[in-house]
mmCIF file of all heavy atoms in Angstrom:
data_model
loop_
_atom_site.group_PDB
_atom_site.id
_atom_site.type_symbol
_atom_site.label_atom_id
_atom_site.label_comp_id
_atom_site.label_asym_id
_atom_site.label_seq_id
_atom_site.Cartn_x
_atom_site.Cartn_y
_atom_site.Cartn_z
ATOM 1 N N LEU A 719 12.348 16.728 12.678
ATOM 2 C CA LEU A 719 12.767 15.595 11.786
ATOM 3 C C LEU A 719 13.581 16.018 10.648
ATOM 4 O O LEU A 719 14.404 15.364 10.185
ATOM 5 C CB LEU A 719 11.583 14.843 11.335
ATOM 6 C CG LEU A 719 10.860 13.937 12.388
ATOM 7 C CD1 LEU A 719 9.556 13.291 11.695
ATOM 8 C CD2 LEU A 719 11.845 12.855 12.868
ATOM 9 N N LYS A 720 13.332 17.323 10.094
ATOM 10 C CA LYS A 720 14.002 17.831 8.919
ATOM 11 C C LYS A 720 15.035 18.950 9.337
ATOM 12 O O LYS A 720 15.577 19.641 8.412
ATOM 13 C CB LYS A 720 13.030 18.329 7.906
ATOM 14 C CG LYS A 720 12.063 17.325 7.341
ATOM 15 C CD LYS A 720 12.717 16.268 6.551
ATOM 16 C CE LYS A 720 11.862 15.314 5.859
ATOM 17 N NZ LYS A 720 12.434 14.303 5.037
ATOM 18 N N GLN A 721 15.395 19.159 10.636
ATOM 19 C CA GLN A 721 16.164 20.124 10.985
ATOM 20 C C GLN A 721 17.597 19.754 11.321
ATOM 21 O O GLN A 721 17.861 18.526 11.496
ATOM 22 C CB GLN A 721 15.617 20.909 12.236
ATOM 23 C CG GLN A 721 14.215 21.435 12.048
ATOM 24 C CD GLN A 721 14.210 22.639 11.044
ATOM 25 O OE1 GLN A 721 15.145 23.392 11.009
ATOM 26 N NE2 GLN A 721 13.144 22.637 10.371
ATOM 27 N N SER A 722 18.500 20.704 11.406
ATOM 28 C CA SER A 722 20.015 20.380 11.650
ATOM 29 C C SER A 722 20.117 19.848 13.080
ATOM 30 O O SER A 722 19.223 19.997 14.009
ATOM 31 C CB SER A 722 20.796 21.669 11.519
ATOM 32 O OG SER A 722 20.439 22.687 12.513
ATOM 33 N N VAL A 723 21.293 19.280 13.348
ATOM 34 C CA VAL A 723 21.523 18.730 14.701
ATOM 35 C C VAL A 723 21.540 19.861 15.699
ATOM 36 O O VAL A 723 20.972 19.685 16.803
ATOM 37 C CB VAL A 723 22.929 17.886 14.621
ATOM 38 C CG1 VAL A 723 23.286 17.535 16.019
ATOM 39 C CG2 VAL A 723 22.801 16.696 13.764
ATOM 40 N N ILE A 724 22.226 20.917 15.368
ATOM 41 C CA ILE A 724 22.295 22.067 16.284
ATOM 42 C C ILE A 724 20.993 22.582 16.798
ATOM 43 O O ILE A 724 20.683 22.854 17.878
ATOM 44 C CB ILE A 724 23.234 23.176 15.687
ATOM 45 C CG1 ILE A 724 24.645 22.595 15.496
ATOM 46 C CG2 ILE A 724 23.183 24.387 16.676
ATOM 47 C CD1 ILE A 724 25.290 22.223 16.755
ATOM 48 N N PHE A 725 20.148 22.871 15.729
ATOM 49 C CA PHE A 725 18.794 23.326 15.960
ATOM 50 C C PHE A 725 18.056 22.415 16.852
ATOM 51 O O PHE A 725 17.205 22.728 17.770
ATOM 52 C CB PHE A 725 18.088 23.676 14.633
ATOM 53 C CG PHE A 725 16.717 24.332 14.909
ATOM 54 C CD1 PHE A 725 16.677 25.692 15.057
ATOM 55 C CD2 PHE A 725 15.552 23.572 14.867
ATOM 56 C CE1 PHE A 725 15.428 26.323 15.238
ATOM 57 C CE2 PHE A 725 14.303 24.246 15.165
ATOM 58 C CZ PHE A 725 14.263 25.613 15.219
ATOM 59 N N THR A 726 18.019 21.080 16.468
ATOM 60 C CA THR A 726 17.452 20.016 17.279
ATOM 61 C C THR A 726 17.902 19.920 18.714
ATOM 62 O O THR A 726 17.020 19.908 19.683
ATOM 63 C CB THR A 726 17.744 18.593 16.611
ATOM 64 O OG1 THR A 726 17.177 18.594 15.258
ATOM 65 C CG2 THR A 726 16.964 17.485 17.410
ATOM 66 N N LEU A 727 19.190 20.068 18.947
ATOM 67 C CA LEU A 727 19.641 20.068 20.365
ATOM 68 C C LEU A 727 19.123 21.267 21.080
ATOM 69 O O LEU A 727 18.838 21.173 22.258
ATOM 70 C CB LEU A 727 21.236 20.025 20.358
ATOM 71 C CG LEU A 727 21.868 18.709 19.889
ATOM 72 C CD1 LEU A 727 23.433 18.928 19.839
ATOM 73 C CD2 LEU A 727 21.384 17.632 20.788
ATOM 74 N N GLN A 728 19.092 22.459 20.417
ATOM 75 C CA GLN A 728 18.539 23.642 21.079
ATOM 76 C C GLN A 728 17.133 23.437 21.606
ATOM 77 O O GLN A 728 16.667 23.845 22.625
ATOM 78 C CB GLN A 728 18.733 24.924 20.111
ATOM 79 C CG GLN A 728 20.269 25.324 20.020
ATOM 80 C CD GLN A 728 20.326 26.380 18.877
ATOM 81 O OE1 GLN A 728 19.481 26.533 18.050
ATOM 82 N NE2 GLN A 728 21.382 27.145 19.005
ATOM 83 N N ALA A 729 16.404 22.838 20.568
ATOM 84 C CA ALA A 729 14.936 22.656 20.784
ATOM 85 C C ALA A 729 14.708 21.645 22.027
ATOM 86 O O ALA A 729 13.799 21.796 22.894
ATOM 87 C CB ALA A 729 14.102 22.112 19.631
ATOM 88 N N LEU A 730 15.500 20.524 22.010
ATOM 89 C CA LEU A 730 15.356 19.564 23.031
ATOM 90 C C LEU A 730 15.687 20.178 24.438
ATOM 91 O O LEU A 730 15.148 19.915 25.417
ATOM 92 C CB LEU A 730 16.203 18.332 22.781
ATOM 93 C CG LEU A 730 15.871 17.545 21.546
ATOM 94 C CD1 LEU A 730 16.788 16.403 21.207
ATOM 95 C CD2 LEU A 730 14.407 17.058 21.737
ATOM 96 N N PHE A 731 16.811 21.071 24.401
ATOM 97 C CA PHE A 731 17.201 21.787 25.602
ATOM 98 C C PHE A 731 16.095 22.662 26.037
ATOM 99 O O PHE A 731 15.803 22.686 27.297
ATOM 100 C CB PHE A 731 18.547 22.525 25.360
ATOM 101 C CG PHE A 731 18.980 23.276 26.544
ATOM 102 C CD1 PHE A 731 19.607 22.638 27.564
ATOM 103 C CD2 PHE A 731 18.803 24.656 26.603
ATOM 104 C CE1 PHE A 731 20.008 23.362 28.660
ATOM 105 C CE2 PHE A 731 19.214 25.423 27.778
ATOM 106 C CZ PHE A 731 19.819 24.707 28.835
ATOM 107 N N PHE A 732 15.401 23.327 25.146
ATOM 108 C CA PHE A 732 14.274 24.247 25.495
ATOM 109 C C PHE A 732 13.203 23.372 26.310
ATOM 110 O O PHE A 732 12.730 23.900 27.366
ATOM 111 C CB PHE A 732 13.750 24.869 24.270
ATOM 112 C CG PHE A 732 12.311 25.438 24.468
ATOM 113 C CD1 PHE A 732 12.260 26.730 25.074
ATOM 114 C CD2 PHE A 732 11.134 24.753 24.259
ATOM 115 C CE1 PHE A 732 10.962 27.221 25.388
ATOM 116 C CE2 PHE A 732 9.939 25.325 24.438
ATOM 117 C CZ PHE A 732 9.826 26.671 24.927
ATOM 118 N N TRP A 733 12.893 22.213 25.721
ATOM 119 C CA TRP A 733 11.776 21.523 26.300
ATOM 120 C C TRP A 733 12.280 20.872 27.706
ATOM 121 O O TRP A 733 11.486 20.687 28.594
ATOM 122 C CB TRP A 733 11.375 20.262 25.442
ATOM 123 C CG TRP A 733 10.370 20.824 24.394
ATOM 124 C CD1 TRP A 733 10.452 20.932 23.124
ATOM 125 C CD2 TRP A 733 9.059 21.295 24.786
ATOM 126 N NE1 TRP A 733 9.295 21.454 22.511
ATOM 127 C CE2 TRP A 733 8.398 21.736 23.566
ATOM 128 C CE3 TRP A 733 8.244 21.398 25.908
ATOM 129 C CZ2 TRP A 733 7.148 22.231 23.468
ATOM 130 C CZ3 TRP A 733 7.027 22.006 25.856
ATOM 131 C CH2 TRP A 733 6.417 22.389 24.699
ATOM 132 N N ALA A 734 13.494 20.611 27.801
ATOM 133 C CA ALA A 734 13.967 20.117 29.081
ATOM 134 C C ALA A 734 13.861 21.101 30.220
ATOM 135 O O ALA A 734 13.325 20.935 31.262
ATOM 136 C CB ALA A 734 15.544 19.638 29.017
ATOM 137 N N ILE A 735 14.209 22.417 29.767
ATOM 138 C CA ILE A 735 14.005 23.533 30.849
ATOM 139 C C ILE A 735 12.549 23.787 30.964
ATOM 140 O O ILE A 735 12.093 24.066 32.179
ATOM 141 C CB ILE A 735 14.663 24.790 30.200
ATOM 142 C CG1 ILE A 735 16.265 24.607 29.998
ATOM 143 C CG2 ILE A 735 14.370 26.072 31.097
ATOM 144 C CD1 ILE A 735 16.951 24.189 31.367
ATOM 145 N N ALA A 736 11.742 23.639 29.948
ATOM 146 C CA ALA A 736 10.273 23.915 30.118
ATOM 147 C C ALA A 736 9.611 22.934 31.090
ATOM 148 O O ALA A 736 8.891 23.297 32.024
ATOM 149 C CB ALA A 736 9.633 23.859 28.781
#
Side-chain angles (χ1 to χ4, degrees):
L719 287 174
K720 298 292 185 179
Q721 299 298 324
S722 66
V723 174
I724 297 299
F725 187 83
T726 298
L727 290 175
Q728 291 174 337
L730 295 178
F731 179 74
F732 165 82
W733 277 113
I735 297 300

